[in-house]
């Protein structure tokens, strides 16, 4: 009988040890983790099945899952834990040893702000400034579409966000993922997870948000304005006679001037324009272009996605502030689209050459998806009215505009 | 609260002004570059394609595609000397 009990006790002991080895007990003790799993699965669904920004949503979603597996040591810990004293932090070896490899990656690549500029370099190497150079005046609408950033900055501060937190939230209105992440790293790193999620989710929802705002703000007559016909009636002053030379000179001279004007935009704009320059030079620097667009940008995207996802532990994410960020981010996005549209309408009041308001709607970044969506809307009203090339002008200038807006916010608040 | 509000309004004014100054600079710089390039470097001189390669063994449309591809890849610097079929 006693042998029977001894065996039973041993078996129970083994089962208990097995149970202790798994994370099941931790999940039962902290059931809120299940909400984070649901969020991770939802983001994976949106990325894989709905194809919403899969290159970023899939790594972010998987990062969320990894961070919330108890005892997995994959969740990013708050910066306070790696502080030794007021001015000293743990070295990377100690961070990896004490808190795991995800924290090593986060503090080496994200906290230092390396990855967003590297991604911007790749974006620059994939960007064509040609449409913008052919329609330079339209690029001004990329400025009007930054209105959402500053409008939501005011609203967020009224709702109790600190200036740094409000600026990080508001930059979602720029519709530029790397810019939003870069600004948040500099100003409010504790909000990085929800802000990145909101920024990329709304960028993925551009095909829904732009038509919605356009429907609320524009009439059929305005959407039927044909830009090619307007060009025939009021032809541009200059025809570009050597586009290649212009495209090479543009990033060099523009970079020099803008970075002198707004030095804090240098990490993002400098890398964007450098990436663009090596692309435009052509075969002589083709290896650099390939490196920027493939070998650097792809791993940078993976690490950015995973580590940003890993900041979203249940303790950080399940907070009323997160909901406010999601709502505020939508308003920032919507006001930016509306800002661009109303800037066009205002211009049309004083100009003989009429402009399709869709060109204002694409003034927020989200290149080239915003332009494609605008083109779909215009061709719905008139199958011959293709506005893609015109929208690309404000769309590309929106990237510059949001990077400059980020630079201003970082200069003042950082 | 008042201090926060005035800070956010200040940021809005400074931010939007800076964005517009920057984009005006984009327009001015772009126009300036176009004018200078139009005046001093108007057209890229395209290398003449040797007539020797337009042999009857290669169809005209295929030849045009090869010339266009070389032109793009080499940014107008390349020259086709000979095309051989294996």
């Amino acid at each position: 009988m006693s042998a029977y009990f001894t065996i039973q006790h041993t078996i129970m002991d083994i089962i208990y040890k097995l149970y202790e080895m798994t994370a099941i007990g931790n999940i039962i003790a902290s059931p809120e983790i299940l909400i984070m799993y649901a969020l991770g699965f939802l983001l994976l669904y949106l990325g894989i099945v709905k194809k919403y920004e899969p290159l970023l949503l899939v790594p972010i979603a998987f990062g969320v899952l990894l961070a919330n597996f108890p005892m997995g040591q994959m969740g990013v810990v708050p910066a306070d834990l790696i502080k030794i004293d007021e001015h000293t932090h743990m070295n990377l070896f100690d961070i990896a040893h004490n808190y795991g490899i995800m924290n090593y990656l986060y503090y080496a690549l994200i906290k230092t702000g390396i990855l967003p500029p590297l991604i911007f370099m790749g974006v620059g190497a994939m960007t064509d400034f040609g449409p913008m150079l052919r329609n330079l005046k339209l690029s001004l609408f990329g400025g009007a579409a930054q209105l959402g950033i500053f409008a939501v900055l005011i609203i967020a501060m009224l709702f109790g966000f600190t200036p740094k937190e409000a600026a990080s939230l508001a930059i979602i209105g720029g519709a530029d993922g790397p810019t939003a992440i870069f600004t948040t790293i500099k100003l409010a790193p504790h909000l990085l997870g929800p802000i990145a999620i909101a920024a990329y989710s709304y960028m993925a929802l551009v095909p829904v948000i732009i038509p919605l705002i356009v429907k609320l703000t524009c009439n059929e007559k305005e959407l039927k304005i044909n830009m090619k016909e307007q060009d025939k009636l009021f032809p541009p002053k200059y025809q570009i006679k050597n586009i290649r030379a212009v495209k090479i000179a543009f990033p060099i001279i523009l970079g020099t001037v803008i970075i002198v004007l707004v030095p804090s935009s240098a990490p993002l704009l400098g890398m964007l324009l450098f990436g663009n320059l090596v692309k435009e030079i052509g075969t002589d620097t083709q290896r650099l272009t390939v490196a920027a667009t493939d070998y650097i940008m792809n791993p940078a995207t993976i690490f950015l996605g995973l580590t940003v996802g890993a900041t979203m532990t249940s303790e950080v994410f399940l907070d009323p502030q997160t909901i406010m960020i999601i709502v505020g981010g939508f308003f920032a996005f919507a006001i930016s689209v509306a800002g661009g549209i109303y800037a066009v309408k205002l211009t049309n009041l004083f100009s003989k050459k009429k402009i399709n308001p869709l060109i204002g709607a694409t003034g927020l970044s989200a290149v080239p998806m915003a332009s494609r969506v605008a083109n779909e809307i215009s061709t719905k009203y008139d199958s011959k009215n293709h506005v893609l090339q015109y929208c690309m002008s404000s769309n590309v200038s929106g990237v510059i505009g949001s990077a400059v807006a980020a630079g201003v916010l970082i200069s003042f608040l950082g | 609260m008042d201090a926060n509000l005035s800070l956010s309004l200040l940021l809005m004014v400074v931010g939007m002004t800076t964005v517009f100054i920057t984009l005006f600079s984009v327009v001015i710089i772009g126009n300036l570059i176009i004018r200078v390039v139009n005046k001093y470097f108007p057209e890229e001189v395209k290398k003449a394609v040797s007539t020797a390669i337009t042999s009857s063994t290669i169809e005209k449309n295929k030849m045009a595609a090869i010339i266009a591809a070389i032109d793009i890849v080499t940014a107008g610097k390349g020259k086709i000397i000979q095309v051989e079929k294996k």
Side-chain angles (χ1 to χ4, degrees):
Chain A
M1 200 64 172
S2 100
Y4 170 74
F5 278 120
T6 311
I7 291 167
Q8 195 183 23
H9 186 263
T10 312
I11 290 170
M12 288 303 288
D13 205 33
I14 290 169
I15 290 171
Y16 183 70
K17 277 187 177 155
L18 279 172
Y19 173 76
E20 265 197 328
M21 191 188 75
T22 68
I24 296 167
N26 301 65
I27 294 171
I28 292 167
S30 314
E32 67 272 12
I33 291 174
L34 294 172
I35 299 174
M36 298 310 294
Y37 293 163
L39 176 72
F41 295 143
L42 173 71
L43 294 175
L44 280 173
Y45 169 78
L46 293 175
I48 298 167
V49 181
K50 293 285 180 184
K51 301 191 190 307
Y52 289 170
E53 297 276 345
L55 290 176
L56 269 150
L57 274 192
V58 171
I60 288 177
F62 214 80
V64 173
L65 290 179
L66 288 175
N68 288 285
F69 292 132
M71 305 189 299
Q73 268 208 327
M74 295 293 264
V76 171
V77 299
D80 293 344
L81 290 182
I82 64 147
K83 250 186 185 175
I84 296 171
D85 59 50
E86 195 57 40
H87 304 288
T88 332
H89 292 81
M90 283 181 189
N91 64 42
L92 287 173
F93 175 80
D94 287 336
I95 291 172
H97 184 259
N98 292 332
Y99 299 113
I101 52 159
M102 195 61 92
N103 281 284
Y104 174 94
L105 290 173
Y106 175 80
Y107 283 101
L109 303 175
I110 296 285
K111 194 73 176 157
T112 50
I114 292 174
L115 290 185
L118 288 183
I119 290 179
F120 249 59
M121 179 173 70
V123 171
M126 290 193 285
T127 299
D128 181 10
F129 282 121
M132 193 174 95
L133 288 162
R134 288 187 194 95
N135 303 285
L136 273 167
K137 279 182 188 165
L138 299 181
S139 64
L140 290 173
F141 298 116
Q146 308 309 318
L147 187 69
I149 295 176
F150 297 102
V152 168
L153 174 76
I154 297 172
I155 298 167
M157 278 164 79
L158 290 175
F159 272 87
F161 281 86
T162 66
K164 287 183 178 185
E165 289 171 345
S168 303
L169 190 172
I171 202 74
I172 295 171
D176 195 310
T179 303
I181 289 172
F182 188 75
T183 310
T184 311
I185 293 164
K186 296 281 178 196
L187 299 180
H190 57 287
L191 298 181
L192 185 59
I195 285 174
I197 282 286
Y200 282 108
S201 301
Y202 292 135
M203 279 167 67
L205 288 172
V206 158
V208 179
I209 297 173
I210 288 184
L212 177 76
I213 307 297
V214 167
K215 204 174 178 183
L216 291 172
T217 53
C218 301
N219 59 42
E220 195 176 332
K221 191 185 164 194
E222 288 169 328
L223 295 173
K224 278 186 172 173
I225 293 173
N226 190 313
M227 294 303 293
K228 279 180 188 157
E229 282 175 12
Q230 291 294 320
D231 269 353
K232 280 180 195 163
L233 291 172
F234 308 96
K237 265 187 190 173
Y238 313 109
Q239 292 295 329
I240 303 173
K241 293 181 182 169
N242 184 347
I243 188 71
R244 183 169 178 261
V246 173
K247 281 182 174 180
I248 290 175
F250 187 69
I252 300 170
I253 299 170
L254 183 74
T256 309
V257 173
I258 292 185
I259 294 167
V260 168
L261 286 176
V262 192
S264 50
S265 67
L268 292 176
L269 271 182
M271 295 302 270
L272 178 92
L273 294 172
F274 168 70
N276 186 257
L277 176 65
V278 293
K279 175 211 163 217
E280 294 303 345
I281 291 171
T283 40
D284 293 343
T285 50
Q286 198 174 16
R287 282 164 55 194
L288 302 185
T289 311
V290 173
T293 55
D294 294 349
Y295 304 124
I296 294 174
M297 189 159 170
N298 291 345
T301 307
I302 290 174
F303 290 132
L304 184 88
L306 281 176
T307 46
V308 164
T311 61
M312 286 193 284
T313 52
S314 56
E315 305 89 57
V316 172
F317 194 80
L318 299 176
D319 186 286
Q321 239 185 357
T322 303
I323 295 166
M324 289 168 84
I325 288 169
I326 304 286
V327 175
F330 175 79
F331 279 107
F333 221 90
I335 295 170
S336 287
V337 176
I341 289 173
Y342 281 108
V344 171
K345 288 183 176 216
L346 193 68
T347 311
N348 283 346
L349 287 179
F350 301 101
S351 169
K352 283 181 186 169
K353 183 177 180 176
K354 301 299 175 199
I355 298 165
N356 194 312
L358 288 167
I359 289 152
T362 52
L364 76 175
S365 307
V367 183
M369 198 201 287
S371 294
R372 280 205 300 263
V373 171
N375 196 58
E376 275 173 30
I377 299 172
S378 70
T379 48
K380 217 181 262 179
Y381 288 92
D382 175 1
S383 59
K384 288 178 185 169
N385 190 12
H386 291 278
V387 293
L388 184 76
Q389 288 300 308
Y390 300 93
C391 288
M392 281 300 286
S393 176
S394 60
N395 211 179
V396 171
S397 73
V399 179
I400 297 171
S402 59
V404 169
V408 171
L409 294 173
I410 292 167
S411 303
F412 271 75
L413 303 169
Chain B
M1 183 64 88
D2 281 349
N4 273 354
L5 190 64
S6 44
L7 173 65
S8 56
L9 285 171
L10 172 77
L11 280 170
M12 185 180 214
V13 173
V14 174
M16 287 304 284
T17 309
T18 313
V19 168
F20 275 111
I21 288 174
T22 307
L23 292 179
F24 269 113
S25 311
V26 168
V27 176
I28 293 166
I29 291 166
N31 276 323
L32 211 67
I33 294 171
I34 292 169
R35 287 172 75 170
V36 170
V37 167
N38 280 357
K39 192 168 182 186
Y40 297 105
F41 314 96
E43 281 285 356
E44 284 183 305
V45 182
K46 300 240 172 179
K47 297 266 189 284
V49 178
S50 166
T51 48
I53 58 162
T54 52
S55 82
S56 57
T57 52
I58 299 167
E59 290 170 29
K60 273 184 181 176
N61 55 353
K62 284 184 183 172
M63 196 61 227
I66 293 169
I67 292 168
I70 295 293
D71 195 44
I72 290 166
V73 170
T74 64
K77 292 177 187 169
K79 187 177 176 184
I80 303 167
I81 307 292
Q82 196 177 355
V83 180
E84 285 181 9
K85 275 187 176 178
K86 283 195 175 179

